[in-house]
Amino acid sequence: MIDRAAPAKIRAKGVAKTFSSEGRDVVALQPVDLAVAEGEFVCILGPSGCGKSTLLRIVAGLIAPSAGSATLDGRPITGPGPERGLVFQEYALFPWLTVMQNVMYGPLVRGLGRREAERRAKTQIARVGLEGFEQHFPRQLSGGMKQRVGIARVWANQPDVMLMDEPFGALDAITRNILQRDLLKLWLEERHTVLFVTHSVDEAIFLADRVVVMSARPGRITAIVPVEAPRPRDLLAPESITLKAELTRLVEDQVMGARGEPSRLREYVN
Ligand SMILES: Nc1ncnc2c1ncn2[C@@H]1O[C@H](COP(=O)(O)OP(=O)(O)O)[C@@H](O)[C@H]1O
Ligand SMILES: [Mg+2]
């Protein structure tokens, strides 16, 4: 069980972001407050362009907020760090390195000896089900396999926190379901803290302890919905279907609201 009284692993307090480009200000994120407990799996769900990636990139330390602060273990986030592993939709593998070399890269850069780096890489490659593909190059792999390498590569660095930005968004539905199941299995083994961005309601229900719903641009948090069903979850079970309807309404309501249509779910909007 997650101890909600424990200090937050990740905390965002009044985090907002305005981008200035070509003399024009784009408000990407309105002030957001969020606390993620250690070992918690939180999904950020919202329509495209609502600032999900912006929020994740702030937590990753890739961009600085315009206002507010983000902390990790109570310390301000000022840049990227090895305790936060990032997985993006684009696989971000080095095309000129083999699977093995891609996964070993992080540990080697962090000063581990070759033998230890190799051992770690082997373990992680096996965990994501790619034993036998160590000497393949990324171009020889399917999208799903590349994303598995991406996950193994992050895990080889033994991060505390996984930041995942629509990691399965580019995959076909079947591959996506398999990867979701596998990710969940691996998460149940190690219980990293995970912040996972998605625009898929099903994905959020399948994976998350809590679903953070964001409004259409400029984004803000409009609801935080716990998912209490035990894992692995059956998306066709009555409670999943009820939750799916609720979350879909919340997200669609945001999109409709952005078009100037009246909100049907005012009670959720804070
Ligand atoms: N570097 C940037 N410069 C200008 N505008 C940006 C930049 N990054 C994101 N934005 C804008 O901020 C908004 C939120 O973007 P993003 O966080 O990528 O949304 P999401 O991930 O939810 O699709 C979008 O309107 C986007 O165009
Ligand atoms: Mg995005």
Side-chain angles (χ1 to χ4, degrees):
M1 260 332 270
I2 286 154
D3 180 4
R4 297 214 190 278
K9 186 79 187 165
I10 301 167
R11 185 184 294 278
K13 253 199 197 140
V15 165
K17 182 72 186 179
T18 300
F19 289 104
S20 298
S21 60
E22 296 163 6
R24 222 168 52 89
D25 281 353
V26 178
V27 182
L29 201 60
Q30 290 185 295
V32 159
D33 292 311
L34 178 66
V36 179
E38 170 126 50
E40 193 178 18
F41 200 128
V42 170
C43 281
I44 301 175
L45 174 71
S48 162
C50 75
K52 302 181 296 295
S53 295
T54 301
L55 178 57
L56 202 78
R57 289 161 63 82
I58 290 171
V59 174
L62 297 173
I63 54 174
S66 317
S69 69
T71 57
L72 180 78
D73 291 321
R75 286 184 294 276
I77 292 167
T78 54
E83 70 294 327
R84 280 158 291 153
L86 313 179
V87 183
F88 296 105
Q89 183 172 327
E90 319 79 49
Y91 312 111
L93 303 177
F94 297 124
W96 60 89
L97 297 182
T98 63
V99 167
M100 187 70 177
Q101 289 165 335
N102 264 287
V103 181
M104 283 171 67
Y105 181 84
L108 285 178
V109 164
R110 293 192 171 89
L112 252 74
R114 178 157 289 274
R115 185 161 303 179
E116 174 61 12
E118 238 170 53
R119 195 191 58 76
R120 268 204 208 174
K122 270 211 160 107
T123 307
Q124 296 306 332
I125 290 168
R127 280 184 82 208
V128 299
L130 285 180
E131 241 166 350
F133 292 90
E134 290 84 352
Q135 302 315 320
H136 283 57
F137 286 91
R139 65 172 181 278
Q140 299 172 298
L141 305 176
S142 68
M145 291 162 92
K146 279 190 260 199
Q147 204 50 294
R148 286 174 191 274
V149 180
I151 292 171
R153 194 162 81 143
V154 168
W155 268 325
N157 296 325
Q158 302 185 333
D160 269 359
V161 173
M162 294 279 285
L163 303 173
M164 308 183 82
D165 193 352
E166 308 206 31
F168 310 144
L171 305 174
D172 64 87
I174 295 168
T175 308
R176 186 177 180 142
N177 289 346
I178 294 170
L179 271 127
Q180 286 166 354
R181 272 207 303 276
D182 289 354
L183 174 67
L184 200 62
K185 187 171 145 272
L186 297 170
W187 175 77
L188 288 167
E189 284 168 22
E190 291 208 357
R191 297 278 179 166
H192 299 86
T193 308
V194 183
L195 198 52
F196 186 109
V197 166
T198 182
H199 60 248
S200 157
V201 172
D202 278 345
E203 187 162 70
I205 294 175
F206 189 70
L207 293 172
D209 290 314
R210 285 190 298 154
V211 182
V212 172
V213 182
M214 286 182 61
S215 69
R217 193 171 75 84
R220 62 197 172 83
I221 294 173
T222 53
I224 298 183
V225 180
V227 189
E228 266 140 14
R231 296 177 175 95
R233 294 177 183 139
D234 175 4
L235 289 175
L236 297 175
E239 69 266 26
S240 299
I241 290 171
T242 307
L243 188 57
K244 179 170 176 169
E246 183 185 356
L247 287 171
T248 304
R249 258 204 324 269
L250 276 168
V251 174
E252 283 179 359
D253 207 49
Q254 291 309 326
V255 178
M256 305 290 270
R259 289 193 197 129
E261 290 167 53
S263 168
R264 280 171 290 149
L265 275 161
R266 223 174 300 260
E267 66 270 24
Y268 286 102
V269 177
N270 55 37

